[in-house]
Amino acid sequence: MTFASIVGHDRQKEILRRALKSDRLAHAYLFEGPDGIGKRLMALALARALVCQTGEGCGDCSSCRKIDHNNHPDLHLLDAEGSTIKIDQVRQIQKELSLRPLESEYKICMIDGAEFMNPAAGNALLKTLEEPQGKSLLILLTAHPEALLDTIRSRCQRLPFQRLSQKRLAEILESRLELQEVEAKVLAALSEGSFKK
């Protein structure tokens, strides 16, 4: 997944591209917005650009392919186990981030559904956010940023994502799924700007 292949979110892509180009990435990002609008794809595109052997997120090198298949040793994905993200999961990520990267310059952790962290997990994560280790990057993804601790939100660079317009979504559905114009417009209206609906 490259920035160019992600539909919409041009402002967010430009912010991340500039940060990569100037080597001024924040140590933690909070990608916030409704589910199914491309936050996870954007996080994976950022991870790919960081570990890519060409520095562009080419999609052809072994590092990019490992990101695409979720088996890069320097990318750690954290999702809720059941209905919450538990403190043990956060501690495991902290342990991983304390080690040096194996294949790339960065250790990257994506926390999908960050709003599901229980209070103990959220408080444990604060230590990592306050004292980032070496070249590590945390990307928190959430549809409900208000559910996160204020202190977590304040220690991340926030990047809000919006739903795609119905018109743009209909165009995408029409071209990619080869739908009739009317079908695409109906599906776009029902989706409320999200591919997940």
Side-chain angles (χ1 to χ4, degrees):
M1 181 56 51
T2 63
F3 289 128
S5 65
I6 297 172
V7 176
H9 311 303
D10 295 329
R11 181 179 158 272
Q12 291 83 351
K13 286 187 241 184
E14 184 56 31
I15 289 169
L16 295 173
R17 280 184 180 128
R18 274 189 276 135
L20 284 165
K21 188 175 182 180
S22 64
D23 197 26
R24 296 185 60 111
L25 278 175
H27 71 282
Y29 285 93
L30 179 59
F31 289 9
E32 54 187 76
D35 286 328
I37 60 170
K39 299 184 306 287
R40 186 178 177 99
L41 294 177
M42 190 73 76
L44 288 170
L46 176 58
R48 185 195 254 194
L50 277 173
V51 304
C52 179
Q53 294 164 4
T54 68
E56 300 292 323
C58 67
D60 296 323
C61 69
S62 64
S63 295
C64 284
R65 288 193 305 272
K66 286 177 184 178
I67 291 288
D68 292 345
H69 294 104
N70 293 327
N71 63 4
H72 195 287
D74 296 323
L75 174 65
H76 305 282
L77 305 172
L78 180 60
D79 295 302
E81 285 181 358
S83 60
T84 61
I85 295 174
K86 299 171 181 67
I87 191 169
D88 292 337
Q89 292 174 275
V90 171
R91 286 187 178 144
Q92 181 60 39
I93 288 297
Q94 289 171 321
K95 182 179 173 185
E96 291 292 340
L97 292 176
S98 71
L99 303 172
R100 291 185 10 202
L102 293 173
E103 292 183 11
S104 68
E105 204 174 321
Y106 276 86
K107 291 286 257 187
I108 305 161
C109 175
M110 269 179 48
I111 302 177
D112 201 355
E115 69 269 23
F116 296 117
M117 280 188 285
N118 66 28
N123 284 319
L125 183 66
L126 275 175
K127 181 165 177 58
T128 303
L129 291 172
E130 290 168 347
E131 301 168 13
Q133 303 227 357
K135 290 219 170 187
S136 62
L137 174 66
L138 283 166
I139 307 170
L140 284 69
L141 311 173
T142 183
H144 303 284
E146 71 283 354
L148 292 168
L149 296 172
D150 291 339
T151 46
I152 288 178
R153 290 195 310 259
S154 69
R155 285 166 176 77
C156 296
Q157 181 171 328
R158 296 176 76 171
L159 210 52
F161 287 74
Q162 307 300 320
R163 295 179 187 275
L164 297 173
S165 71
Q166 280 188 17
K167 180 182 177 188
R168 181 72 178 118
L169 195 54
E171 291 169 357
I172 295 164
L173 291 170
E174 190 176 344
S175 67
R176 292 194 181 171
L177 299 179
E178 298 177 6
L179 298 175
Q180 298 296 318
E181 183 179 353
V182 174
E183 291 174 314
K185 285 183 178 179
V186 169
L187 283 175
L190 292 172
S191 73
E192 299 176 1
S194 168
F195 283 105
K196 196 169 186 175
K197 289 272 180 186

